[in-house]
Amino acid sequence: MARLGIVGFTNSGKTTLFNALTGLQAPTAPHPYTTSEPLPGVARIPDPRLEALAQIEKSAKTVPAVLELLDLPALAPAAEGSGPGGHYLARLREVEGLVVVLRAFTDQQVPSGGETIDPVSQAEELMLELTVADHELLARRAERLTKEATADSGKRSAAQGLAEVVEHLAQGEALRTRSWPEETWELLRDSAPLTLKPAIWVVNVDEDEAGAASMGKAVEAVVPEGDVVVVLSARLEEEAAQLAEADRRELFSGLGLGEGALALMANAAYRSLGVISFYTTGPKESRAWTVRAGAAAPEAAGRIHSDLERGFIRVEVAPIDEVIVAGGWDAAKRQGKARVEGKGYIVQPGDVLVVRFSV
């Protein structure tokens, strides 16, 4: 399960996006700080191939992959003198990635709270806020480590590495804009710096915004390389989330929105976090699992159950598209679509796996 924290300035549409993705109805209002406490929610990732596989296998249960979302209270602009919002940053450090919402819509009923609605300016300021937060945290740790290193020569290398990190942040640069030695990575893991986390930047536009694509490209030019930028109308997506599935698909089709924000955000999350989906299937259950891209078969087996990783022997594997065309797993095996792989096999997106193990 991928965990993402949703952040942004006041009235940027954070909670509206949260509602659109989860189908919940968390309160929103045309004034700042409607969200006063972190709101957790789960978004079920749409997966037509999983649904088709479950239907063929007559699975009693279908379990899609999910995104675990945490909607954080709005970050206070630096101009207000309160910084990026104190005690909630600890919750943000717990997630695997960030969803940063940038306001690019106009609405007289929803004031911008003194903030610009230029998404580029917001992206730059938010990145600076997160960089400052990391600098404050790590500068204190670097100071302690430097003092310890005066008495313990074994800590001098670590102290020097952390000092370089602090200097990098002092230049206003996110930590993920540079490659760090493994020793430094180890030092940073416990602190969970915000600017080391992958980010999805959501440009929240008007429903009929003609310049949406250019806004997205402008934001891409100022955020760290490798970050994913998504352009959508959170308000439209929130309204669509309350419709029946058939009506929602008809709406998206009529507006040229493809599968909608949830599918768009799921793809962005997978790219940003570097994960893929694989599948298991049978009469009891068809399920989508997530694992890091590049994982070997035993690691993927461990996502299903730790016993499968410990006692891993081999794995039977076939692409889900071929399993569906064949008419199910057993039919795919009879047609020679499935093959046997060992511990070194790198799981591919869309693989259907049957793990053989011994405890």
Side-chain angles (χ1 to χ4, degrees):
M1 179 184 295
R3 296 174 298 161
L4 300 170
I6 305 178
V7 297
F9 287 136
T10 57
N11 288 342
S12 60
K14 291 186 308 82
T15 304
T16 301
L17 178 63
F18 174 82
N19 288 340
L21 298 177
T22 63
L24 299 176
Q25 299 183 45
T28 58
H31 56 74
Y33 307 112
T34 305
T35 303
S36 58
E37 294 292 334
L39 298 173
V42 173
R44 294 164 58 91
I45 298 175
D47 194 334
R49 295 190 302 178
L50 175 63
E51 296 289 342
L53 182 62
Q55 186 173 8
I56 291 170
E57 294 286 344
K58 296 181 173 58
S59 301
K61 188 177 180 182
T62 305
V63 184
V66 299
L67 297 176
E68 182 179 328
L69 302 172
L70 188 67
D71 181 22
L72 275 293
L75 300 183
E80 296 181 9
S82 55
H87 54 294
Y88 293 122
L89 289 181
R91 295 295 303 275
L92 196 56
R93 296 188 193 282
E94 297 171 359
V95 302
E96 297 171 81
L98 308 180
V99 176
V100 188
V101 182
L102 309 172
R103 177 171 179 169
F105 66 88
T106 56
D107 189 335
Q108 293 182 350
Q109 295 182 343
V110 184
S112 61
E115 283 296 297
T116 176
I117 61 169
D118 171 24
V120 172
S121 298
Q122 292 171 65
E124 291 174 331
E125 185 170 357
L126 280 162
M127 180 54 70
L128 180 59
E129 296 283 5
L130 297 176
T131 301
V132 169
D134 279 351
H135 183 270
E136 291 177 352
L137 174 71
L138 293 171
R140 292 193 296 270
R141 186 176 178 188
E143 184 178 359
R144 291 195 301 271
L145 189 57
T146 298
K147 290 179 180 179
E148 293 171 4
T150 60
D152 185 350
S153 60
K155 294 184 177 181
R156 289 176 185 171
S157 176
Q160 177 60 36
L162 199 54
E164 291 181 11
V165 167
V166 172
E167 177 59 27
H168 185 76
L169 290 166
Q171 301 299 318
E173 296 290 337
L175 292 178
R176 62 182 178 279
T177 61
R178 173 177 164 180
S179 296
W180 300 97
E182 183 59 32
E183 182 183 26
T184 304
W185 273 101
E186 290 296 330
L187 286 171
L188 294 175
R189 279 196 182 97
D190 290 343
S191 300
L194 300 176
T195 63
L196 204 55
K197 297 180 183 296
I200 302 168
W201 300 81
V202 178
V203 184
N204 186 11
V205 299
D206 288 308
E207 296 178 18
D208 57 351
E209 177 57 57
S214 62
M215 287 185 185
K217 291 180 180 179
V219 171
E220 285 179 356
V222 299
V223 300
E225 185 178 356
D227 283 8
V228 180
V229 178
V230 173
V231 181
L232 54 78
S233 169
R235 180 166 51 188
L236 175 61
E237 297 284 352
E238 181 186 37
E239 294 171 356
Q242 303 306 315
L243 298 175
E245 184 175 352
D247 294 335
R248 183 165 61 250
R249 289 179 178 176
E250 183 178 351
L251 174 64
F252 289 155
S253 177
L255 296 176
L257 297 177
E259 297 179 74
L262 181 50
L264 189 65
M265 290 297 296
N267 289 334
Y270 275 41
R271 289 168 54 199
S272 180
L273 297 173
V275 298
I276 62 170
S277 278
F278 69 93
Y279 301 90
T280 56
T281 190
K284 291 184 178 180
E285 176 185 275
S286 287
R287 180 187 288 253
W289 306 84
T290 56
V291 69
R292 68 177 182 88
E299 183 178 340
R303 297 290 292 172
I304 302 170
H305 196 284
S306 57
D307 285 347
L308 273 66
E309 183 172 11
R310 285 196 298 269
F312 182 92
I313 299 174
R314 62 184 182 275
V315 65
E316 295 177 86
V317 56
I320 187 171
D321 292 330
E322 293 189 12
V323 174
I324 292 171
V325 170
W329 177 257
D330 290 340
K333 288 187 65 176
R334 289 194 300 269
Q335 296 173 29
K337 302 296 185 182
R339 62 189 187 279
V340 176
E341 298 285 356
K343 292 182 177 180
Y345 176 69
I346 303 302
V347 177
Q348 299 300 307
D351 276 351
V352 179
L353 303 182
V354 174
V355 180
R356 303 303 180 190
F357 70 106
S358 175
V359 176

